[in-house]
């Protein structure tokens, strides 16, 4: 158990819908990352936050957005969902967000039908 | 665009044997990460290599980094069945103090008794 929690564990929804994935980092970690894992694309970095501010952006679609709240939990919002958005979404956290171990949560498995 | 290539992608080996997984990356970076993923599970951090010539060992696994050759290796010594998993290497993507990781496709390792 890494100490990073994610909810929900599983999510089934329909195309065109919007969902929100939630992540709580390890106690003391200020940086949160979101990654997507799919068979087609492998593991892809989406976005990073540090202490409430966006720090880095990866291959995040415009239909996706994220934020980190004052209590340091983060949410990833996915809208206008397409079949191809079906994937495992991981949240990871680290203390400073600089050249250190990122601890991954258990993931949210999203299925878009 | 940063590319991270692992080889082999699939490896079946017998217990007691030694083997090496290779990770090449396409651009200058001196931060290299190794993760393990069991089927249906999250990613577990194995090693963080932060400088040229860095070598780290944990049990039967040893990782090294050659930043000049843009190459990292994960060496398995006297493999045991419990090491069966998918192993990913990852490189810091974004630079500038941010730390989004670009992952290789993973090496699916099966160790047979």
């Amino acid at each position: 158990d890494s100490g990073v929690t994610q909810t929900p564990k599983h999510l089934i929804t329909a195309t065109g819908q919007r969902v929100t994935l939630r992540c709580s980092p390890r106690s003391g970690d200020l940086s949160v990352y979101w990654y997507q894992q799919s068979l087609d694309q492998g593991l892809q970095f989406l976005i990073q936050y540090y202490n409430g501010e966006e720090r880095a952006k990866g291959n995040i679609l415009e239909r996706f957005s994220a934020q980190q709240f004052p209590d340091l939990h983060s949410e990833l919002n996915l809208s206008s969902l397409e079949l191809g958005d079906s994937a495992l979404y991981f949240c990871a956290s680290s203390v400073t967000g600089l050249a250190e171990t990122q601890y991954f949560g258990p993931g949210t498995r999203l299925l878009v039908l | 665009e940063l590319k991270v290539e692992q080889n082999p992608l699939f490896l079946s080996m017998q217990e007691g044997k030694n083997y090496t997984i290779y990770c090449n990356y396409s651009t200058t970076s001196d931060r290299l990460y190794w993760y393990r993923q069991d089927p249906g599970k999250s990613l577990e951090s194995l090693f963080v290599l932060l400088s040229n010539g860095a070598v780290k060992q944990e049990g039967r696994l040893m990782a090294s980094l050659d930043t000049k050759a843009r190459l990292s290796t994960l060496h398995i010594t006297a493999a045991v069945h419990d090491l069966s998993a998918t192993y990913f290497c990852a490189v810091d993507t974004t630079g500038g103090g941010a730390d989004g990781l670009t992952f290789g496709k993973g090496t699916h390792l099966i160790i047979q008794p």
Side-chain angles (χ1 to χ4, degrees):
Chain A
D1 184 356
S2 67
V4 179
T5 61
Q6 291 186 247
T7 57
K9 289 186 179 179
H10 304 276
L11 200 47
I12 302 175
T13 188
T15 54
Q17 295 298 305
R18 173 190 169 95
V19 297
T20 297
L21 313 183
R22 183 188 169 103
C23 167
S24 293
R26 294 185 321 152
S27 176
D29 285 0
L30 298 177
S31 193
V32 168
Y33 313 76
W34 287 97
Y35 291 88
Q36 179 196 61
Q37 185 176 33
S38 66
L39 288 175
D40 293 348
Q41 304 291 330
L43 269 160
Q44 288 198 98
F45 167 64
L46 297 178
I47 198 164
Q48 178 194 7
Y49 281 82
Y50 175 77
N51 204 20
E53 299 290 326
E54 181 185 306
R55 176 172 269 184
K57 242 178 182 176
N59 298 321
I60 189 166
L61 300 173
E62 285 192 11
R63 300 183 285 109
F64 297 0
S65 65
Q67 58 184 129
Q68 186 180 27
F69 294 87
D71 67 352
L72 300 178
H73 91 271
S74 178
E75 293 181 355
L76 179 66
N77 299 297
L78 315 176
S79 62
S80 302
L81 284 166
E82 302 175 359
L83 296 177
D85 297 327
S86 297
L88 192 50
Y89 290 85
F90 286 111
C91 168
S93 74
S94 69
V95 178
T96 67
L98 296 174
E100 59 189 356
T101 299
Q102 295 180 25
Y103 294 90
F104 280 70
T108 293
R109 187 171 295 278
L110 173 66
L111 180 59
V112 182
L113 300 176
Chain B
E1 179 190 348
L2 173 59
K3 292 185 180 178
V4 180
E5 293 186 354
Q6 288 182 237
N7 72 81
L9 296 182
F10 297 95
L11 177 57
S12 179
M13 55 191 292
Q14 288 187 314
E15 280 191 329
K17 300 292 186 183
N18 302 332
Y19 210 82
T20 301
I21 298 170
Y22 297 88
C23 175
N24 289 92
Y25 53 97
S26 63
T27 193
T28 301
S29 177
D30 52 7
R31 303 193 283 216
L32 193 293
Y33 306 76
W34 284 96
Y35 283 87
R36 167 184 173 148
Q37 186 177 35
D38 292 307
K41 302 290 186 182
S42 184
L43 282 84
E44 174 190 355
S45 176
L46 295 174
F47 301 108
V48 179
L49 304 169
L50 298 178
S51 62
N52 186 40
V55 177
K56 290 195 175 179
Q57 183 163 5
E58 180 75 33
R60 301 175 187 275
L61 301 179
M62 183 174 71
S64 65
L65 177 61
D66 181 345
T67 59
K68 293 179 181 177
R70 297 179 186 170
L71 171 68
S72 180
T73 61
L74 180 66
H75 187 73
I76 302 159
T77 302
V80 293
H81 179 67
D82 286 353
L83 290 179
S84 296
T86 299
Y87 293 85
F88 292 93
C89 64
V91 178
D92 172 22
T93 306
T94 46
D99 214 9
L101 299 179
T102 296
F103 281 83
K105 292 185 183 299
T107 297
H108 185 53
L109 175 62
I110 297 173
I111 299 170
Q112 301 181 9

